[in-house]
Amino acid sequence: VAYAYFGNQQFQKAQEYLLKLLNAPNLQQREIIHTSTQVLHLLVHYELGNYEYLDAQTKNTRLYFSRKNLYYAFEKSAIQLIVDLMKGKENQVSILKKHKTILEVLQKDMVQQDALEHLDLIYWIDQKLQVKSLIE
């Protein structure tokens, strides 16, 4: 449900469902759903413009994933994408294209395919690039 709201750019509604998921006691048992939910949570905050929150939360999420041995290539790439977008607001198109290339390589890795199926960052990047091209 949160992903659907995110896709429809209803970020506040997506956040409501993400918080329910993140607070669910058994979510951590389903590793791929848990990590995807954490990353989607960061993306929602990015879309809402909560950059101060994200500055701290990206570090916390990295640390959390590392401690739980969940810091795989997809999670690293997703978090780095958000960090790069926050830091390079004037170069967003080049940042998005760079990260799309990285994610396309990961998509060919059997280990990373599940993560990209649960949270299709390539599609999100394509949508952002399409909007950017319409604006320019």
Side-chain angles (χ1 to χ4, degrees):
V1 174
Y3 192 66
Y5 278 120
F6 180 79
N8 286 317
Q9 298 183 1
Q10 296 179 3
F11 304 118
Q12 290 292 350
K13 284 297 238 183
Q15 182 64 10
E16 289 175 28
Y17 283 93
L18 286 169
L19 290 175
K20 288 178 186 179
L21 271 172
L22 291 170
N23 291 323
N26 61 350
L27 180 64
Q28 292 182 10
Q29 295 172 358
R30 309 242 354 236
E31 178 180 302
I32 191 70
I33 295 172
H34 179 63
T35 56
S36 296
T37 302
Q38 291 278 356
V39 172
L40 184 57
H41 182 240
L42 295 174
L43 287 171
V44 166
H45 280 286
Y46 171 77
E47 291 287 8
L48 291 171
N50 298 334
Y51 302 131
E52 284 184 33
Y53 172 82
L54 272 175
D55 189 40
Q57 196 59 32
T58 52
K59 293 172 190 168
N60 291 339
T61 304
R62 270 189 194 143
L63 185 59
Y64 176 80
F65 284 163
S66 291
R67 286 185 181 160
K68 297 285 186 175
N69 293 321
L70 300 172
Y71 201 38
Y72 303 113
F74 170 78
E75 290 77 14
K76 289 177 186 177
S77 296
I79 292 171
Q80 192 60 51
L81 167 63
I82 295 165
V83 168
D84 289 350
L85 285 171
M86 286 189 315
K87 289 181 180 177
K89 292 177 184 138
E90 63 281 344
N91 297 322
Q92 287 200 343
V93 170
S94 62
I95 291 168
L96 290 166
K97 286 179 179 179
K98 171 187 154 196
H99 282 278
K100 180 180 178 183
T101 302
I102 292 167
L103 290 166
E104 287 172 339
V105 170
L106 287 180
Q107 193 174 31
K108 295 174 185 168
D109 181 352
M110 295 292 287
V111 176
Q112 302 302 314
Q113 284 178 350
D114 280 350
L116 283 159
E117 287 176 7
H118 277 83
L119 184 58
D120 192 351
L121 286 180
I122 295 171
Y123 178 79
W124 179 76
I125 289 172
D126 284 340
Q127 295 304 307
K128 298 298 268 181
L129 288 170
Q130 187 177 26
V131 168
K132 298 276 183 205
S133 69
L134 291 174
I135 292 171
E136 296 171 349

